Amino acid sequence: LLGLTYPASNSQVGLNQGQAKIILKPNGDKVALIVMGYSGIDTQRAAALLKNYNNYKDKLKGLTEVYVGGTTANPTIEAGFS
């Protein structure tokens, strides 16, 4: 979906240490939700943000890609793109 060969490096997907990324990517007549992190903890942070979607929905509205920082207990949206 991202046009990368497996395994892709963090630099190929645009991740720095301590960052995670959430992407909505069109896939035919559906949309794929991709969650990735620099490390496993970073991926868990992005998953925590999605788990608490109602707390972030206003900030996420209209975005197709976001970078997630902060902590697993308190994830933050660092940047978003539509």
Side-chain angles (χ1 to χ4, degrees):
L1 290 172
L2 298 177
L4 302 170
T5 56
Y6 179 82
S9 69
N10 286 313
S11 62
Q12 286 177 295
V13 295
L15 289 174
N16 295 315
Q17 189 171 7
Q19 277 188 325
K21 191 188 265 190
I22 301 171
I23 302 170
L24 291 175
K25 184 81 172 167
N27 186 21
D29 60 346
K30 299 181 182 192
V31 176
L33 173 65
I34 302 167
V35 180
M36 64 179 88
Y38 187 90
S39 68
I41 293 295
D42 300 321
T43 305
Q44 289 174 359
R45 184 178 317 112
L49 187 143
L50 291 173
K51 179 182 174 187
N52 296 297
Y53 173 78
N54 285 332
N55 297 338
Y56 298 93
K57 65 183 175 184
D58 292 337
K59 294 178 183 176
L60 293 170
K61 188 173 183 173
L63 300 177
T64 58
E65 184 174 329
V66 295
Y67 284 91
V68 180
T71 64
T72 303
N74 188 25
T76 59
I77 298 170
E78 294 183 343
F81 309 93
S82 50

